[in-house]
Amino acid sequence: APGNSARKQILTPEDTNLLIALFNAGHYVDLESNARTLLEQLPNSGFVWKVLGLSLKMQGKDALQALQKAAKLLPNDAEAHSNLGNALNELGQFEGAVASFRRALALRPDYAEAHSNLGNALKDLGQYDGAVASYGRALKLKPDLAEVHYNLGNALQALKKSDDAVASYRRALALRPDYADAYSNLGISLQELGQLEDAAASYRKALTFPSEFAEVQHLNLGNTLKDLGRIDEATASYRRALTVKPDFVEAHSSLLFTQNYRHDRAATDLLADARHFGDLVAAQATVHQTWKNAPDPQKCLRIGLVSGDLRNHPVGFFLQGVLAALAAQSGGRLQLVAYTTQSGSDALTERIKTYCHGWHSAVGLSDERLAQKIRDDGIDILLDLSGHTAHNRLPMFAWKPAPVQASWLGYFATTGVAAIDYLIADPWTLPASEEIYFTEKIWRLPETRLCFTPPEVKLDVASLPALANGYVTFGCFNNLAKMNDRVVAIWAKVLRATPRSKLFLKAAQLNEVSMQQNTVARFVAHGIDPTRLMIEGAESREKYLAAYGRVDIALDPFPYPGGTTTVEGLWMGVPAVTLAGTCFLARQGVGILMNAGLAEWIAADTDDYVARAVSHAADLPRLSALRERLRQQALASPLFDAPRFARHFEAALRGMWIRWCEGGNA
């Protein structure tokens, strides 16, 4: 054709040098312009397509098509395949990214950056063992890559190898002392190891450096301060995170959860905060109002479970027996499908899997992609098992992927998410007068909202220790953050009113010497001699349960009472004194003890709390007799009768479904 006579035939060295110079100088706009001009003359130049793709990527533009073209035209160019892998990974196309990185490495096995990038893609897929191996290969080739040490730490932390993660973060910081994100994630690993003061110091160090993720560091610091029981400071950290990023849903969730430890927040204020969270996640979602689910009242219901706690965790302990009973007695009427929001598994996870018809990882999936997955799976009723606790996916619920959605088990207040139709409660824990403080409609089970799975350990109930000791041992094995100043003051009154008695505290935070010292000082301030305190940190579950053999009477904290600890105590023959609050959370102890047949252990106010603790401690024969029969009494109660609970739970789910079939969720 006449016009083709002016077309360039080859890419000259001058052209190549110009493109390289523009890239090295960071002149990406000029680089893009020159590359496009050259492509008009040389449309099949793989090098120019590669340069164009990089210029677009560096400008934040869509580079995928250009990088795909480059990889096609340069099949033997490892860098072209690696560049394409990076673009695919950023778009969330992790499988495609892995394939591109593997092609790059097949061409160039010593390509350290491609090993590192493959690790990133595998990590995003939740394949943490593979990610660790890839990072290791990269570091063998180039040991001074601080970012790779950091990413290796992240993968190790995901595998719960916190000690190894700490070592990786420290190596990253040795190479790059101003690495704010490495300080931040070092804090996470230290927190997992129970080194809370060191974790807080690491987060504070992170905040001294500029970072794209300052809001995350404030959030992490808040979480550590919460675990240290410094609730006011934790709240302030969450609010600083929200100042940096007002739509930071994780900080909103943590703030809402932490309010549960306080007794000075009005219910109307808590509801307003929850509604604000709900408005925020609703604004980020596309809400579906139509579904493909057939409105058949008698159909086999597909029940989705969304949780990061399908493992050795209180949620897993409460869930196992219920799911086993549902699987055994609801065949043809219910199918259970799990969506796990945290990677990793344990023996309990594997048992829970056997009760489910489907098991899917939600790790790495956006809210939109997870919601679409749930819609595609035809889930009829979707259950949130987390509320505002860790690893929740409440923002995804705002997309309304299932016709009926409910919150149950893992949380004790409103979620604030308008797309969640119901909250599952019972007659004891949520009085009708409290319903106005929930965005969800309340659906009550007839006896209890909780049903515990008996621990799979061989431990007999020990004789009442007071008979041998000559004094009563009170105990609390709850999270120490629940032990606020009012609780310390009331427990000190109990100790003063029962001469020679002791208080046995056992919690993960008490592995740390500073927390032990602080706890002793708090009681000394109320006139309690340190010798009357028994303080221990966390141990294996079997040793933790065996420790109840040294407790005569459990003392429930308030306004955030025990749940798992209380029922485990009952199973070990230890009754608990609880304070009857007014809100859903503060009445968990009431629900447990009423269902266990222990109404006389429920106090109306703090004076009554002290009086009941003292009265029960004074009658050792009666306390000993209760201890001998309490395990069997608890096992026969609704708290442990999983088949009975499963029948009530299935009826509730069917009732919700029928209501939807009839045209409404209210």
Side-chain angles (χ1 to χ4, degrees):
N4 287 346
S5 59
R7 175 169 290 194
K8 291 173 70 72
Q9 300 302 308
I10 61 170
L11 186 68
T12 67
E14 292 78 12
D15 294 328
T16 302
N17 290 337
L18 174 62
L19 295 176
I20 292 172
L22 289 170
F23 180 82
N24 289 337
H27 296 162
Y28 303 120
V29 175
D30 291 340
L31 181 61
E32 178 189 351
S33 177
N34 277 271
R36 291 192 184 281
T37 298
L38 284 168
L39 285 171
E40 291 176 4
Q41 301 294 315
L42 301 167
N44 293 318
S45 172
F47 178 79
V48 180
W49 278 108
K50 182 165 75 168
V51 167
L52 175 62
L54 291 174
S55 71
L56 293 170
K57 186 174 183 296
M58 298 306 292
Q59 294 177 76
K61 296 181 179 180
D62 182 4
L64 182 60
Q65 185 177 3
L67 293 174
Q68 286 174 326
K69 186 79 171 177
K72 183 177 181 181
L73 291 167
L74 301 170
N76 297 318
D77 186 327
E79 188 178 69
H81 290 293
S82 185
N83 292 340
L84 175 57
N86 287 334
L88 291 167
N89 205 50
E90 289 181 5
L91 292 169
Q93 299 180 32
F94 304 128
E95 292 89 351
V98 166
S100 288
F101 293 132
R102 293 200 191 282
R103 279 194 290 272
L105 289 165
L107 293 164
R108 191 172 139 196
D110 64 347
Y111 194 172
E113 288 77 7
H115 282 296
S116 173
N117 292 335
L118 174 59
N120 293 339
L122 292 171
K123 177 165 62 68
D124 289 336
L125 279 169
Q127 298 177 23
Y128 297 109
D129 287 315
V132 167
S134 288
Y135 293 136
R137 294 186 191 102
L139 289 169
K140 188 173 182 180
L141 293 163
K142 289 188 177 181
D144 294 339
L145 296 174
E147 187 172 357
V148 182
H149 284 292
Y150 166 76
N151 286 329
L152 174 58
N154 293 342
L156 289 166
Q157 184 55 51
L159 290 168
K160 304 300 182 186
K161 297 180 178 180
S162 297
D163 285 314
D164 293 335
V166 165
S168 287
Y169 293 134
R170 293 201 189 282
R171 282 192 285 270
L173 288 164
L175 292 164
R176 191 173 138 194
D178 64 346
Y179 203 159
D181 294 341
Y183 274 114
S184 183
N185 287 9
L186 171 61
I188 293 173
S189 295
L190 291 169
Q191 190 172 357
E192 286 289 324
L193 292 168
Q195 300 174 31
L196 300 180
E197 294 288 1
D198 288 344
S202 193
Y203 294 137
R204 288 195 173 98
K205 185 72 173 178
L207 287 164
T208 65
F209 300 108
S211 170
E212 295 179 60
F213 306 108
E215 71 277 8
V216 176
Q217 292 151 16
H218 284 298
L219 169 65
N220 291 339
L221 176 58
N223 290 339
T224 303
L225 292 168
K226 181 259 296 177
D227 288 345
L228 284 165
R230 288 143 65 174
I231 303 303
D232 290 342
E233 293 177 63
T235 299
S237 285
Y238 298 140
R239 295 201 183 281
R240 280 192 286 272
L242 292 169
T243 299
V244 176
K245 186 180 179 183
D247 63 348
F248 189 15
V249 294
E250 291 87 350
H252 278 287
S253 236
S254 293
L255 181 61
L256 284 166
F257 175 77
T258 303
Q259 301 303 323
N260 292 309
Y261 292 99
R262 306 177 67 114
H263 61 83
D264 57 351
R265 290 296 309 278
T268 51
D269 292 339
L270 296 174
L271 176 60
D273 288 346
R275 286 190 186 279
H276 177 66
F277 173 87
D279 291 342
L280 179 66
V281 297
Q284 298 175 356
T286 299
V287 181
H288 295 282
Q289 298 293 350
T290 58
W291 301 267
K292 295 179 181 178
N293 309 63
D296 176 3
Q298 302 306 318
K299 69 174 289 189
C300 179
L301 294 175
R302 288 176 61 78
I303 309 298
L305 309 171
V306 182
S307 176
D309 301 321
L310 306 178
R311 54 190 174 90
N312 280 311
H313 180 278
V315 167
F317 300 153
F318 279 101
L319 202 60
Q320 181 190 351
V322 173
L323 296 188
L326 286 171
Q329 63 195 41
S330 302
R333 300 192 301 272
L334 292 182
Q335 290 182 345
L336 302 169
V337 182
Y339 301 90
T340 61
T341 63
Q342 184 180 196
S343 60
S345 65
D346 55 30
L348 180 54
T349 305
E350 296 308 311
R351 286 195 292 275
I352 292 175
K353 277 185 183 180
T354 65
Y355 311 134
C356 297
H357 283 76
W359 190 274
H360 308 286
S361 173
V363 176
L365 293 184
S366 67
D367 291 333
E368 181 175 9
R369 289 180 67 196
L370 178 55
Q372 188 58 53
K373 168 68 175 168
I374 291 167
R375 287 174 65 83
D376 292 344
D377 289 345
I379 298 301
D380 299 304
I381 301 177
L382 189 65
L383 298 178
D384 155 55
L385 303 180
S386 301
H388 287 285
T389 63
H391 309 293
N392 78 72
R393 294 302 298 264
L394 288 178
M396 183 276 300
F397 277 80
W399 290 73
K400 196 66 187 262
V404 179
Q405 301 190 150
S407 186
W408 170 59
L409 185 58
Y411 191 57
F412 310 96
T414 183
T415 64
V417 179
I420 295 181
D421 305 294
Y422 299 105
L423 183 138
I424 298 174
D426 60 45
W428 302 111
T429 54
L430 212 166
S433 60
E434 294 293 303
E435 292 186 16
I436 59 173
Y437 303 119
F438 289 79
T439 58
E440 306 88 354
K441 295 289 184 183
I442 306 304
W443 195 291
R444 288 180 179 79
L445 301 178
E447 295 172 322
T448 172
R449 67 183 289 270
L450 302 173
C451 184
F452 199 67
T453 310
E456 296 181 358
V457 295
K458 293 183 178 180
L459 280 175
D460 293 329
V461 174
S463 299
L464 190 74
L467 297 177
N469 292 336
Y471 58 82
V472 169
T473 301
F474 297 100
C476 181
F477 294 178
N478 276 265
N479 184 327
L480 209 64
K482 298 179 181 182
M483 197 177 74
N484 59 57
D485 290 342
R486 288 181 70 225
V487 169
V488 172
I490 294 303
W491 288 357
K493 280 188 177 182
V494 171
L495 292 173
R496 288 197 299 270
T498 50
R500 299 184 62 223
S501 65
K502 294 193 176 186
L503 176 61
F504 182 9
L505 299 174
K506 190 175 184 66
Q509 294 101 322
L510 292 171
N511 285 327
E512 195 158 337
V513 173
S514 64
M515 289 298 290
Q516 297 173 14
Q517 294 170 340
N518 175 262
T519 299
V520 170
R522 294 176 71 189
F523 281 93
V524 168
H526 288 276
I528 302 302
D529 189 280
T531 60
R532 299 183 68 184
L533 299 176
M534 300 162 57
I535 292 178
E536 290 184 0
E539 294 182 288
S540 69
R541 193 177 187 214
E542 185 169 353
K543 289 182 178 179
Y544 152 81
L545 289 168
Y548 277 106
R550 292 181 276 153
V551 177
D552 296 292
I553 296 172
L555 297 178
D556 212 6
F558 49 86
Y560 197 150
T564 308
T565 53
T566 303
V567 292
E568 286 174 334
L570 298 180
W571 188 76
M572 290 301 301
V574 181
V577 179
T578 195
L579 178 63
T582 56
C583 69
F584 186 37
L585 169 67
R587 294 183 60 82
Q588 296 309 305
V590 175
I592 291 170
L593 296 184
M594 289 302 296
N595 277 285
L598 297 172
E600 69 275 15
W601 290 80
I602 301 170
D605 54 37
T606 54
D607 288 341
D608 190 30
Y609 186 103
V610 174
R612 287 178 186 270
V614 172
S615 174
H616 289 304
D619 193 345
L620 295 187
R622 186 178 181 197
L623 191 60
S624 179
L626 174 61
R627 190 182 187 92
E628 290 178 2
R629 70 172 187 274
L630 188 52
R631 176 179 288 185
Q632 290 308 314
Q633 181 174 322
L635 288 173
S637 78
L639 289 173
F640 284 84
D641 190 340
R644 176 175 172 177
F645 181 93
R647 289 192 293 273
H648 294 152
F649 195 72
E650 181 185 353
L653 296 175
R654 183 64 62 178
M656 294 175 195
W657 181 249
I658 290 173
R659 186 173 294 181
W660 180 77
C661 291
E662 292 173 348
N665 286 326

